[in-house]
Amino acid sequence: MWFATANIQKNGDNHCRRALAIVINFSEIRIMESSVLRLARKPIENVRVGFIGLGMRGPGAVERFISLEHATVAALCDLYPGPVADAQKILSSHGCAPAKEFVGPDAWKRLCELPDLDLVYVAAPWQLHAAMGVYAMECGKNVALEVPAATTVEECWALVDTAERTRMHCMMLENSCYDSFEMTCLRMAREGVFGDIVHVEGGYCHNLSTYWDKYRDDWSMRFSAEHHGDVYPTHGIGPLCQLLDIHRGDKLSYLVSMDSAAIAGQAAADSRYGAGNVSFSNGDITSTLIRTARGRSILLQHSVMTPQPYSRLYRIYGTGGYANKYPVPGFVFDSGKEYMPEEEVSALLKRYKHPVWQELEEKALTVGGHNGIDYIMDYRLVECLHKGLPLDMDVYDAAEWSSIVELSEKSILGGSVPVQVPDFTRGR
């Protein structure tokens, strides 16, 4: 049920009219301000960016932003001084002015408080994303959060509530949504090539067992040891939600999750921490089924412990056609039973190549970042801020996709029971 009222609020010397509503959802009562769907803010001539977290992904982001015409790296922050110094060397090597430095446990707050920042770019550990995002918006900054944007439903709501109250952008940095194949299929879907899409599949299938010590710190390994569920769902779910127009005509309704035994995961924990010192909770493979309000279904898989080639699955089942990305791109249309010949696939991908890739492919492949998708993601973020356009992905996307972390765990711990996915747009 919805009950709306109007309110005039005073904010400093400015008067603004905001629509307030009370949403009654079961036993929960929430007070909300006006929606940030399709939020557009004043154009920013030069986007001044502050980076929090300069470990694995942060340095690459700093280097990419140097190549963006309407952006300036203005501030750098990390828990330790070494990564900040290394990032300064990146700036120096490209002839850029040094950025302001922030080092230490609470230094990220001081960065967010800078008066001359437009965007805070967070590449810290998962568990810190939501708190940093909320604080940045409270400080009047747009924020971009690495994936997942949050690890609990409560954190997801905090991001939504804060974005609606502050009217600041909050985008999750889901680079898979900018992959050339995914964007081409998105264009094909929008033009009706697949007919009515009835089922899609995605995931994160990537053997990380040899990566824990070399690339990943204890925070990610420990999180998987302490939790069941799909702890890293957004690479899979993001492009699929765009295909299905989630919160743009459809919404996620409920999910059911199941995991396998944690055999390889426990062996990895024993190898790292000593046998018997850590009990590893997360199953080697987690499968999640989601049903949408319009009756479409989604299959997600999370599998990072067993031997396997990299895959995000990415399969589309429509009344007029089928597509898959892995192990090689393939299409089947109409009543066909066989894959389209390779030369026809190449022609199809060329015909429907997304305009963004048509424009930016050469530069994206030169700058790099996961075969150019990181560059295109950052380019689009800055372009939208520079031109005052709505972002490609909003805070509701961040909340919907990230909520699967906790919701899948709840389903598993309840014996694979159905769990409702919150409507973070509150019925809009």
Side-chain angles (χ1 to χ4, degrees):
M1 297 177 65
W2 295 81
F3 301 88
T5 183
N7 184 41
I8 301 293
Q9 293 187 343
K10 186 173 183 179
N11 182 12
D13 295 328
N14 299 319
H15 296 269
C16 60
R17 182 178 298 272
R18 295 177 178 175
L20 299 180
I22 298 176
V23 180
I24 299 179
N25 181 13
F26 298 106
S27 61
E28 180 181 336
I29 298 179
R30 306 188 63 87
I31 298 179
M32 81 173 177
E33 300 189 60
S34 54
S35 169
V36 289
L37 288 166
R38 303 295 297 165
L39 173 68
R41 293 180 51 83
K42 182 180 178 180
I44 303 172
E45 180 60 31
N46 179 57
V47 180
R48 298 161 298 181
V49 190
F51 291 88
I52 300 175
L54 297 167
M56 184 177 178
R57 294 192 177 182
V62 171
E63 190 137 20
R64 293 191 302 274
F65 266 75
I66 292 171
S67 70
L68 298 175
E69 180 181 358
H70 300 290
T72 298
V73 178
L76 301 167
C77 176
D78 197 86
L79 191 60
Y80 307 105
V84 173
D86 291 342
Q88 292 282 29
K89 292 177 184 177
I90 294 174
L91 296 177
S92 174
S93 68
H94 288 81
C96 299
K100 295 180 181 178
E101 297 185 2
F102 299 86
V103 177
D106 296 320
W108 62 272
K109 292 184 177 180
R110 299 198 302 274
L111 181 146
C112 292
E113 293 163 2
L114 282 175
D116 55 349
L117 277 188
D118 303 299
L119 173 67
V120 174
Y121 196 107
V122 177
W126 303 339
Q127 299 92 321
L128 301 175
H129 291 177
M132 291 177 172
V134 166
Y135 195 78
M137 287 186 283
E138 294 284 8
C139 291
K141 308 300 189 295
N142 299 297
V143 64
L145 302 173
E146 261 296 351
V147 299
T151 58
T152 68
V153 173
E154 182 179 6
E155 289 178 344
C156 292
W157 274 117
L159 290 172
V160 170
D161 291 345
T162 307
E164 290 182 343
R165 184 175 67 256
T166 62
R167 320 300 297 163
M168 304 305 300
H169 287 298
C170 178
M171 171 177 156
M172 183 167 62
L173 295 163
E174 184 39 75
N175 59 3
S176 295
C177 292
Y178 294 92
D179 182 273
S180 179
F181 187 83
E182 272 92 324
M183 292 191 76
T184 295
C185 287
L186 179 62
R187 179 182 178 185
M188 293 170 68
R190 296 276 167 82
E191 295 187 25
V193 176
F194 300 113
D196 291 324
I197 297 176
V198 296
H199 176 79
V200 289
E201 299 179 5
Y204 187 66
C205 305
H206 182 22
N207 184 13
L208 295 177
S209 60
T210 60
Y211 286 66
W212 295 113
D213 287 323
K214 187 175 182 181
Y215 296 112
R216 291 178 169 254
D217 208 342
D218 274 342
W219 57 265
S220 57
M221 182 71 160
R222 292 279 183 178
F223 192 89
S224 292
E226 295 168 0
H227 294 275
H228 289 272
D230 191 333
V231 300
Y232 202 65
T234 68
H235 285 334
I237 191 68
L240 303 182
C241 283
Q242 291 187 329
L243 278 173
L244 301 181
D245 293 324
I246 298 302
H247 85 247
R248 297 163 176 87
D250 199 357
K251 69 183 182 72
L252 304 180
S253 182
Y254 63 90
L255 62 77
V256 174
S257 295
M258 179 181 295
D259 63 355
S260 71
I263 299 174
Q266 185 61 60
D270 289 344
S271 175
R272 179 168 183 139
Y273 303 114
N277 289 327
V278 172
S279 178
F280 201 87
S281 297
N282 206 9
D284 291 342
I285 299 176
T286 299
S287 299
T288 299
L289 277 169
I290 307 171
R291 186 174 174 85
T292 77
R294 291 179 55 189
R296 280 91 69 85
S297 57
I298 303 170
L299 170 64
L300 284 183
Q301 285 199 335
H302 178 264
S303 176
V304 299
M305 303 306 303
T306 60
Q308 62 197 286
Y310 179 90
S311 172
R312 295 195 302 273
L313 299 182
Y314 197 76
R315 301 187 186 113
I316 302 170
Y317 296 79
T319 58
Y322 164 87
N324 68 252
K325 182 178 180 182
Y326 300 93
V328 294
F331 295 92
V332 179
F333 290 106
D334 300 322
S335 59
K337 298 180 180 179
E338 302 295 334
Y339 278 109
M340 179 182 282
E342 185 176 346
E343 61 274 13
E344 293 184 25
V345 170
S346 297
L348 187 71
L349 293 175
K350 182 178 181 179
R351 176 184 176 186
Y352 287 101
K353 180 181 287 188
H354 196 283
V356 168
W357 271 91
Q358 293 178 26
E359 176 188 356
L360 299 175
E361 182 170 16
E362 183 177 353
K363 183 68 176 288
L365 295 178
T366 300
V367 176
H370 294 93
N371 296 317
I373 64 177
D374 292 344
Y375 170 79
I376 289 182
M377 173 182 68
D378 293 336
Y379 177 94
R380 282 291 300 161
L381 170 59
V382 170
E383 180 180 47
C384 291
L385 293 174
H386 171 66
K387 294 182 177 179
L389 302 172
L391 304 188
D392 297 333
M393 297 177 285
D394 60 27
V395 70
Y396 305 110
D397 293 309
E400 288 155 357
W401 307 348
S402 299
S403 70
I404 294 169
V405 175
E406 181 181 358
L407 298 176
S408 60
E409 181 173 41
K410 282 187 174 182
S411 177
I412 290 169
L413 294 179
S416 296
V417 296
V419 176
Q420 187 177 29
V421 180
D423 178 3
F424 291 99
T425 73
R426 311 180 217 252
R428 301 195 190 88

